[in-house]
Amino acid sequence: MQVDIITIGDELLIGQVVDTNSAWMGRELNKIGLSVHRITSISDQEEEILHSLEEAINRSSVVLITGGLGPTRDDITKAALCRFFNTKLVFNEAVYADVERMLKGRVKHINQLNRDQAMVPEKCTIIRNPVGTAPIMWFQHAKGIVVSMPGVPIEMKQAMSDQILPRLLEKYQSGIVRHKTIHVFNIPEAVLAEMLSDWEDAVPDYIKVAYLPSPGKLRLRLSGRGEDADKIDGAIEKAIQALYPIIGEHIFGLDDQTAQQELLRLLTEKHQTLAFAESCSGGFMAHLVTAIPGASAAFKGSIVAYANEVKTGQLGVDPMAIEQYGAVSRQVVEQMALGACKALGSDYAIASSGIAGPAGGSEEKPVGTVWLAWAGHGKVVSRRFNFGPNRERTIVRTAEAGIILLKQMIERGEI
């Protein structure tokens, strides 16, 4: 069964707001066997809404719309739906009671704009919104279903989870869908595809393989469809196990796992701790780790040693090493890692030093050159990278490489 998603709002088109709703909806729809055929973002103009809705209905049996349901003049989705379905707005007492409940204690009185939230198309089924003032509208028509929901993510997600997905599942249940994602580090997409050519040939035709690249890493997604859940699950698991002899050293996680989550879990289980000494990554490693609840069980802290005097004063780096080899060097970054273990009292430390750019590079050390070092239990190892000329990408790739590779080193007993 095919689904179209239409997101409405000028803020989406000018980049003021990122459309996270469609990505979330696509994942949840796939879980119940419904495939998203097209996602369309349009402006707050009635003719645009009508045109997009007409096209979507002719393509798909289910059309899901988000946005344009607020109380202000630019929210025109209800009016457009009335015109499309040849109906009119009528006052709904139940919706008005929800509006009063939501606004109680927040406004002194219910004004006309708030009251208009209870005006709904006569030819639709109203699904009440427990976390907002805009109702969800379900239209049944000759070619299928149109559902209009608020664009506020928390409201959309609750409506989808509690009402829309169960109703769609009941009406359109169409088999089993399974997804499994394998996270791969430091293999370019084309190289990986070549390495996995024979492996792909052996994957059953009811399992689809997709390559989803991002800087420095890649997600390999296996998607299976059919009627037999055990058959699909077994085929996916067999395919994953066949990957390890080929690229096992590059696999660092599955599904929603992140390297930082897995590193913290590993350290917590071992009752060991972690610290960072960050120069070119500028605290981004610490950001990735501290975004995880419970990080304090293993993470001690980070010294952002951007200036050379911080490297020498806080981390104990020998000034002569900086003078002789430069701050971006094996000698300096290894001393930074060992110094972080000592200064912050951790079992392990990761240190970074590099040239993020856009200036500062040389023929010997071009922009994007990064040294990473990993220290633990008196041992230190280091490695040089070139992450390219983009500053933001270099910072992200430095932090992720540091974390991924430490996880792998600990698992292999190398440090």
Side-chain angles (χ1 to χ4, degrees):
M1 186 56 58
Q2 189 165 285
V3 181
D4 259 45
I5 297 173
I6 300 174
T7 61
I8 301 172
D10 293 339
E11 66 277 7
L12 300 172
L13 300 179
I14 65 174
Q16 188 177 35
V17 173
V18 176
D19 175 23
T20 59
N21 283 351
S22 296
W24 185 90
M25 292 165 73
R27 287 194 298 271
E28 297 305 308
L29 289 162
N30 261 271
K31 290 177 183 177
I32 65 169
L34 300 181
S35 299
V36 176
H37 176 70
R38 183 173 297 183
I39 298 171
T40 307
S41 293
I42 60 175
S43 63
D44 293 293
Q45 296 183 33
E46 188 167 323
E47 293 303 324
E48 282 289 323
I49 296 172
L50 295 173
H51 175 71
S52 299
L53 188 52
E54 180 70 36
E55 285 192 337
I57 279 177
N58 288 327
R59 273 194 303 266
S60 300
S61 300
V62 178
V63 180
L64 302 178
I65 304 171
T66 66
L69 296 179
T72 54
R73 291 183 181 181
D74 60 330
D75 292 306
I76 59 171
T77 301
K78 284 193 293 188
L81 289 169
C82 282
R83 182 176 163 188
F84 189 88
F85 288 106
N86 192 27
T87 187
K88 63 182 180 181
L89 291 173
V90 296
F91 185 77
N92 186 294
E93 290 286 355
V95 174
Y96 185 67
D98 289 337
V99 172
E100 287 188 306
R101 173 179 54 81
M102 287 298 300
L103 297 179
K104 185 177 181 181
R106 296 165 56 191
V107 298
K108 292 182 179 179
H109 67 280
I110 305 293
N111 63 24
Q112 188 59 45
L113 291 174
N114 296 135
R115 183 179 174 84
D116 286 347
Q117 289 286 74
M119 300 294 293
V120 298
E122 188 173 36
K123 293 181 182 178
C124 76
T125 299
I126 295 299
I127 299 172
R128 294 166 71 178
N129 181 353
V131 292
T133 59
I136 295 92
M137 295 167 286
W138 178 292
F139 294 85
Q140 188 81 42
H141 62 95
K143 295 182 179 180
I145 290 168
V146 173
V147 184
S148 177
M149 294 171 283
V152 179
I154 189 173
E155 297 182 35
M156 178 278 297
K157 289 179 181 179
Q158 182 140 354
M160 285 288 290
S161 299
D162 294 351
Q163 296 287 343
I164 309 306
L165 291 171
R167 293 179 187 221
L168 293 176
L169 182 61
E170 182 178 350
K171 187 173 181 65
Y172 294 115
Q173 187 170 18
S174 56
I176 301 299
V177 180
R178 291 285 193 270
H179 298 292
K180 199 74 176 178
T181 302
I182 303 95
H183 299 279
V184 181
F185 173 69
N186 207 30
I187 307 180
E189 180 182 10
V191 175
L192 181 63
E194 184 177 26
M195 293 173 67
L196 298 183
S197 177
D198 292 340
W199 172 85
E200 278 198 69
D201 289 341
V203 173
D205 57 8
Y206 53 88
I207 306 294
K208 181 181 178 182
V209 179
Y211 293 79
L212 308 171
S214 59
K217 57 185 181 179
L218 182 146
R219 287 172 294 156
L220 188 66
R221 189 186 67 220
L222 304 180
S223 300
R225 292 179 178 274
E227 301 298 326
D228 188 334
D230 290 339
K231 178 182 177 182
I232 295 170
D233 291 340
I236 290 176
E237 181 61 27
K238 182 179 179 181
I240 291 173
Q241 292 306 313
L243 277 175
Y244 280 91
I246 308 170
I247 57 166
E249 64 179 320
H250 296 278
I251 295 173
F252 67 90
L254 300 174
D255 293 331
D256 294 330
Q257 297 172 345
T258 65
Q260 52 267 28
Q261 285 175 320
E262 290 303 294
L263 177 58
L264 287 174
R265 179 192 59 77
L266 183 64
L267 292 173
T268 301
E269 288 177 354
K270 292 175 174 290
H271 304 288
Q272 295 177 328
T273 55
L274 173 67
F276 302 137
E278 303 188 63
S279 184
C280 67
S281 54
F284 196 71
M285 287 189 209
H287 163 71
L288 292 177
V289 166
T290 56
I292 300 168
S296 59
F299 182 56
K300 285 292 193 76
S302 178
I303 296 174
V304 181
Y306 216 64
N308 286 342
E309 55 265 33
V310 180
K311 294 179 177 70
T312 58
Q314 301 296 314
L315 295 170
V317 174
D318 183 354
M320 293 301 295
I322 296 176
E323 183 177 340
Q324 184 175 353
Y325 302 106
V328 182
S329 63
R330 177 192 301 274
Q331 292 79 2
V332 170
V333 79
E334 289 185 355
Q335 290 185 38
M336 288 172 64
L338 292 167
C341 283
K342 183 177 180 180
L344 295 171
S346 64
D347 295 294
Y348 296 99
I350 306 171
S352 70
S353 187
I355 305 166
S362 65
E363 186 175 347
E364 182 186 356
K365 298 177 183 178
V367 170
T369 300
V370 172
W371 275 97
L372 281 165
W374 301 266
H377 307 108
K379 183 179 179 181
V380 63
V381 295
S382 57
R383 183 172 167 186
R384 177 174 169 159
F385 299 83
N386 191 305
F387 292 136
N390 184 286
R391 181 181 182 85
E392 182 178 351
R393 182 175 294 183
T394 293
I395 291 170
V396 172
R397 291 187 66 180
T398 298
E400 291 182 338
I403 291 168
I404 291 169
L405 290 172
L406 178 60
K407 170 184 174 289
Q408 293 179 331
M409 289 177 194
I410 294 173
E411 287 174 334
R412 294 195 291 256
E414 294 174 356
I415 191 171

